[in-house]
Amino acid sequence: MKQFTVIMYALLAYFSAGKVLAQNPVIKHIFTADPAPLVHDGIIYLYVGHDTAAVGVESYKMPDWHVLSSTDMVNWKDHGAKLSPDVFSWSSGGAFAAQCVSEMANSTGMFQ
């Protein structure tokens, strides 16, 4: 039984050591990061950071956030860059992970 366990662990290590690649990216025409989904009236909206760093660069460069939508999660419409860090006086210039809510409960910042 011990030999069987060792063989199974060895096979598991062998087959899981390969390079993992994304096989089915949702958004294919631009590089995006940190999707924040929101469903409203049967439409899913993705608020994503738009990564414009050159291929091979190890860091990211996110100058804005894009909004994408879909009714079937297969066909996506890009509504373009809807917001950039430039509109915030306190911003240092880079877009980070976004989040979105459909409405606020009151002016104190509490969500419904």
Side-chain angles (χ1 to χ4, degrees), residues 4 21 23 27-28 31-32 34 49-50 54 57 59 63 65 78 86 88 99 101 108:
F4 176 76
L21 300 173
Q23 298 299 316
I27 308 304
K28 299 175 184 176
F31 292 110
T32 63
D34 306 319
H50 175 210
V57 174
S59 187
W65 293 278
D78 187 349
D86 299 338
F88 301 104
Q99 186 56 329
V101 295
T108 62

Side-chain angles (χ1 to χ4, degrees), residues 5 18 23 26 37 42 49-50 56 58 60 87:
T5 304
Q23 298 299 316
V26 174
H50 175 210
E58 292 188 19
Y60 61 89
V87 301

